[in-house]
Amino acid sequence: MSTTVELVEVGPRDGLQNERRPLDTGTRAELITRLVARGARRVEAVSFVRPDLVPQMAGAEEVMAKVPREPGVSYIGLVLNRRGAERAARTPCTEVNIVVPVTDAFCLRNQNLTVEAMLGHAAAASQVARDAGMRVSVTLAVAFGCPFSGRVPLGRVEKVLARVAESEPDEIAFADTIGVGVPRQVRALAALAAGDTRVRRLRFHFHNTRNTGYANAAAAARLDADGGTVPGGVVALDASVGGFGGCPFAPAATGNIATEDLLYLLRGEGVPLLGPGTPDPEGLARVGSWLGDRLGSPPQGLLLRAGDFAPTGPADGPAATGN
């Protein structure tokens, strides 16, 4: 039996934050509108951070003022502190995603804080979001490996996970920020989460730097089948339309796994998707092509170039249509 997968579209945030050509707020809102029209239902739309550090994410409030308000569509705003959460609470965002790196080296480069200090900021941001009636996700960045510290021991991730779990967020994510992870680590990190009853929902964020991003996603989608346990039987997977993405503070970090290619993989494996209906892979691929034209950068997703051959077998059965 496969784990049920919830897709999280991160193209409007992680997909754009490392691009050399910033897009205006109207174009970013149009991107979100096109993604929603093609079936995206949970979208990481904006980042409430300092525009002088990440100019690609400037104008978050203006973007959120223009996004479609549709039943069943939720918007995530990335925040790093209380101020970011307060900004998010004044917009249509229904959820905040708080990023906590697991190594001091990366945390200092990315947020100018130690991990211990960032944990305090995360707790404060989480409380603001809860008071505003918003869901809270916490992403443990560089959980698979750090560009400055190298390999990250599982025990180090476990310590940060335990501290984050104290505030009982709605979801905890493990991020392979620089794309060094392999399926064995996916299973090991999932086991950590399963061993902590305070972890309510599990999420993964993969980059494809070493062409292991899709293998890792497949491993996450098979956690139940492989004898692991997933809280609630559902795992959320981040993906970016067109495979755009990267981190401005992580050298050589390439794009996220492409939403359209991930959907092709899940469809072929007969993995059930959470929620009504099924996103449109070919339509999403065309959104990626549209986005590439505006960025002056070709999309990394391969679905349009390779062709959708509509794999047969389990994908033609009920499991492929959602639940």
Side-chain angles (χ1 to χ4, degrees):
M1 176 182 176
S2 296
T3 305
T4 298
V5 168
E6 180 182 27
L7 289 175
V8 182
E9 174 57 60
V10 300
R13 199 280 301 175
D14 201 29
L16 299 182
Q17 71 171 7
N18 204 40
E19 291 294 320
R20 294 182 179 180
R21 181 185 296 180
L23 299 181
D24 61 74
T25 57
T27 302
R28 287 158 58 197
E30 184 177 354
L31 169 61
I32 294 167
T33 300
R34 287 171 178 256
L35 291 168
V36 169
R38 293 300 186 178
R41 288 297 174 264
R42 191 176 175 204
V43 181
E44 191 166 80
V46 292
S47 181
F48 295 94
V49 296
R50 286 172 49 182
D52 59 320
L53 296 180
V54 189
Q56 297 88 340
M57 291 291 101
E61 287 85 354
E62 289 84 349
V63 172
M64 292 308 302
K66 299 173 183 177
V67 299
R69 315 281 185 90
E70 293 190 14
V73 175
S74 60
Y75 294 116
I76 305 169
L78 183 141
V79 306
L80 300 179
N81 50 35
R82 176 189 293 273
R83 175 171 169 74
E86 290 171 345
R87 290 175 60 193
R90 294 192 289 267
T91 75
C93 284
T94 52
E95 178 180 347
V96 297
N97 179 29
I98 307 166
V99 178
V100 178
V102 301
T103 69
D104 283 323
F106 190 85
C107 202
L108 287 165
R109 297 284 189 104
N110 192 50
Q111 282 134 274
N112 200 30
L113 296 167
T114 64
V115 173
E116 183 64 30
M118 186 58 216
L119 286 166
H121 283 286
S126 176
Q127 189 59 55
V128 169
R130 290 198 184 284
D131 290 345
M134 306 172 76
R135 282 172 46 87
V136 176
S137 295
V138 178
T139 293
L140 303 186
V142 295
F144 291 76
C146 174
F148 310 112
S149 300
R151 295 184 181 275
V152 177
L154 194 63
R156 175 63 183 174
V157 182
E158 185 175 21
K159 289 179 181 179
V160 180
L161 171 66
R163 292 289 303 280
V164 166
E166 291 174 1
S167 61
E168 298 189 358
D170 297 285
E171 178 182 74
I172 290 179
F174 295 113
D176 185 10
T177 309
I178 56 173
V180 296
V182 295
R184 175 183 57 79
Q185 290 174 282
V186 174
R187 294 186 289 269
L189 290 170
L192 280 187
D196 193 323
T197 58
R198 298 168 297 179
V199 179
R200 302 174 182 177
R201 289 285 294 274
L202 182 60
R203 176 175 166 189
F204 285 98
H205 179 95
F206 298 121
H207 287 246
N208 203 41
T209 310
R210 290 161 179 79
N211 286 329
T212 57
Y214 297 99
N216 292 335
R222 285 189 53 84
L223 285 169
D224 278 341
D226 289 343
T229 57
V230 177
V234 177
V235 63
L237 294 179
D238 289 358
S240 173
V241 66
F244 290 101
C247 178
F249 304 100
T254 58
N256 299 270
I257 54 176
T259 310
E260 58 270 29
D261 292 348
L262 175 61
L263 277 167
Y264 181 87
L265 169 64
L266 298 176
R267 179 184 178 192
E269 288 294 292
V271 175
L273 298 180
L274 182 68
T278 304
D280 172 14
E282 183 174 327
L284 287 168
R286 296 191 185 282
V287 174
S289 181
W290 172 88
L291 177 59
D293 289 343
R294 276 134 194 85
L295 291 170
S297 177
Q300 299 304 303
L302 298 176
L303 187 65
L304 279 184
R305 282 181 276 173
D308 184 356
F309 292 98
T312 59
D316 294 327
T321 62
N323 59 351

